[in-house]
């Protein structure tokens, strides 16, 4: 038997420590929460993607009474980017969330379905996505690409 392990590294930054581009993406994600349709959960999520040409694409969660017919903020932004900016790689993703009490203290991470879509988006773009996850007590930055948050991903290569 051979035993293996993986480690995940991330950093936590205060608002004042964030680089200008990261801060811009966080602010875009926060603003995107305004477009959330979340009458059932009251949990508003915004996502902001940075494309390799500098374009920013945003999305927000969209709920539906016929759950699970809604869509997460991340996939809303990813599918919009794929349609409106075909062939452009996603280089970074910022996420912010809020409820009736304001923005979450701790950053939230993408759900499993979003991670799968992110993995395939990253594979198509040929470069790792940088994750910027906002929380009022600190912004988590993950540099390792989608493989860091979805190890052993099932992708197109898995079917060969």
């Amino acid at each position: 038997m051979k035993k293996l392990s993986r480690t995940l590294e991330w950093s936590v930054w205060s608002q004042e420590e964030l680089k200008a581009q990261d801060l811009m993406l966080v602010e875009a994600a926060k603003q995107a929460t305004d477009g959330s349709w979340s009458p059932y959960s009251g949990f508003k999520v915004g996502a902001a993607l940075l494309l390799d040409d500098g374009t920013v694409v945003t999305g927000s969660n969209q709920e539906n009474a016929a759950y699970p017919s809604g869509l997460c903020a991340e996939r809303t932004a990813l599918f919009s980017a794929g349609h409106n900016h075909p062939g452009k790689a996603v280089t970074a993703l910022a996420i912010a969330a809020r409820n009736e009490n304001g923005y979450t203290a701790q950053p939230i991470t993408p759900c499993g379905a979003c991670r799968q879509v992110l993995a395939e988006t990253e594979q198509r773009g040929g470069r790792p996505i940088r994750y910027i996850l906002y929380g009022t007590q600190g912004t988590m930055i993950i540099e390792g690409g989608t493989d860091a948050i979805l190890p052993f991903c099932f992708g197109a290569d898995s079917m060969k």
Side-chain angles (χ1 to χ4, degrees):
M1 177 182 80
K2 182 192 244 184
K3 193 172 188 175
L4 305 169
S5 66
R6 297 181 73 142
T7 31
L8 170 62
E9 291 185 9
W10 68 90
S11 56
V12 179
W13 300 62
S14 70
Q15 187 93 356
E16 298 77 30
E17 294 174 316
L18 288 175
K19 297 175 184 166
Q21 188 172 42
D22 293 345
L23 183 58
M24 178 271 302
L25 275 180
V26 164
E27 291 303 320
K30 288 168 68 176
Q31 186 174 11
T33 64
D34 292 338
S36 170
W37 175 251
S38 47
Y40 308 103
S41 70
F43 192 64
K44 299 177 180 296
V45 181
L49 303 173
L50 179 64
L51 305 183
D52 60 4
D53 67 352
T55 300
V56 175
V57 178
T58 61
S60 61
N61 60 320
Q62 304 295 309
E63 294 181 350
N64 190 286
Y67 183 83
S69 298
L71 197 59
C72 298
E74 298 91 316
R75 284 180 281 156
T76 301
L78 288 162
F79 295 151
S80 177
H83 172 74
N84 292 302
H85 305 279
K88 300 293 181 192
V90 176
T91 62
L93 166 64
I95 303 170
R98 63 185 168 97
N99 57 32
E100 66 278 353
N101 299 318
Y103 289 100
T104 58
Q106 298 300 316
I108 65 161
T109 61
C111 74
C114 287
R115 291 177 196 213
Q116 179 65 35
V117 173
L118 284 158
E120 292 193 39
T121 299
E122 187 175 272
Q123 289 167 0
R124 273 196 317 273
R127 57 194 298 179
I129 296 172
R130 186 168 184 265
Y131 291 91
I132 307 159
L133 311 174
Y134 174 76
T136 60
Q137 293 181 358
T139 298
M140 177 188 297
I141 297 182
I142 302 170
E143 301 280 355
T146 307
D147 188 55
I149 64 170
L150 184 63
F152 308 109
C153 173
F154 181 83
D157 289 344
S158 302
M159 296 184 283
K160 292 181 181 175

